[in-house]
Amino acid sequence: LIHWYPGGEESPGSEGSAGAGFSGRRDGGGFAASDTGPRLVTHKLRLGYQELSADEALSRILPADVTVPTGFETVGHIAHLNLRAEHEPHKAAVAHVLLDKLPHIRTVVNKTGETGGPFRTFAMEVLAGEGGEVLETEVSENGLTYRLDFRAVYWNSKLGTERARLVDSFAPGDVVLDLCCGVGPIALLAARKCTAVYANDLNPTAVKYVEVNQKKNNAKNVFMNLAGVSCMDARDCVAMRVAEVAAAAAAAA
């Protein structure tokens, strides 16, 4: 760090000592000036942990041969990591640094199993912060807010742009059947635009959150009404909705 105080100007904090005719250091190297021109004074500045970013802190904490984990997913107040084997001995330290350095993060989790099963969920461990069997959080996406239990339902924050692109392709007169709706990021967004939207998911927890999120967003004057919500296998749902359409057409004939 270098300060440059030209001669002839009063140095800050000099208590009336004019720059002209004053030469010397203050407080071990605070500033210097002379009547012959400016002088450069070098300061040593020590930065502690509090001044470091998360990446900077991790690069100092982790061994030199261990990669600093970056590019994790954020789901509301949850940081979702996918750590490698090399991070296993250091995962607690990594999690606590993220908790310290990222004010909006209150929970850090690590993926421990593959995404799969009937509900497209995965096993995870809580490394730091709040939460246990239920990891409920809120996510804002495309103008709507979604509450969800990250452990119990499928959610991928990286798909927000793709979901918006898909709904943009719908026409106002369309009838939409979202067979694997999750907590509703497509169905509820489409319900603001289309004639009728039906939401379905095999996961009962996801279906519960669809209904919660519809009420939550309607309470904020973002009005949307799903034409129907169901919890069943996608094939059965299609059969049911087709039968309903056929029955309605027959009744109108």
Side-chain angles (χ1 to χ4, degrees), residues 13-148:
S14 61
E15 300 180 355
S17 298
F22 177 80
S23 178
R25 304 174 73 89
R26 185 172 190 269
D27 295 334
F31 58 81
S34 73
D35 55 1
T36 59
R39 289 173 53 204
L40 296 179
V41 178
T42 301
H43 300 255
K44 290 183 179 180
L45 182 63
R46 292 187 177 182
L47 299 179
Y49 173 77
Q50 294 301 323
E51 287 74 40
L52 300 178
S53 68
D55 286 350
E56 291 169 340
L58 289 173
S59 68
R60 287 161 174 77
I61 291 173
L62 296 175
D65 60 344
V66 175
T67 307
V68 174
T70 57
F72 54 86
E73 178 187 18
T74 300
V75 183
H77 69 267
I78 300 172
H80 165 215
L81 309 181
N82 194 0
L83 297 178
R84 304 172 184 172
E86 64 175 333
H87 299 126
E88 183 66 24
H90 316 287
K91 61 185 181 182
V94 170
H96 281 92
V97 167
L98 295 180
L99 215 56
D100 276 348
K101 297 297 182 179
L102 305 176
H104 62 289
I105 296 298
R106 304 200 305 271
T107 305
V108 181
V109 303
N110 180 42
K111 183 178 181 181
T112 58
E114 295 300 318
T115 302
F119 301 153
R120 299 281 296 158
T121 55
F122 57 87
M124 65 183 75
E125 58 181 343
V126 177
L127 297 180
E130 59 192 49
E133 290 304 312
V134 176
L135 292 175
E136 191 169 73
T137 188
E138 286 191 2
V139 181
S140 294
E141 180 183 281
N142 298 320
L144 299 178
T145 302
Y146 303 96
R147 184 175 296 169
L148 58 97

Side-chain angles (χ1 to χ4, degrees), residues 203-247:
N203 185 345
T205 303
V207 172
K208 178 193 76 173
Y209 279 111
V210 169
E211 295 171 333
V212 167
N213 291 330
Q214 179 176 219
K215 293 177 183 178
K216 185 176 185 65
N217 285 284
N218 280 340
K220 297 180 179 179
N221 297 322
V222 183
F223 295 110
M224 64 195 73
N225 289 297
L226 296 172
V229 179
S230 57
C231 180
M232 60 179 66
D233 181 84
R235 294 184 183 87
D236 296 336
C237 182
V238 171
M240 180 184 73
R241 297 304 182 195
V242 169
E244 289 175 349
V245 170

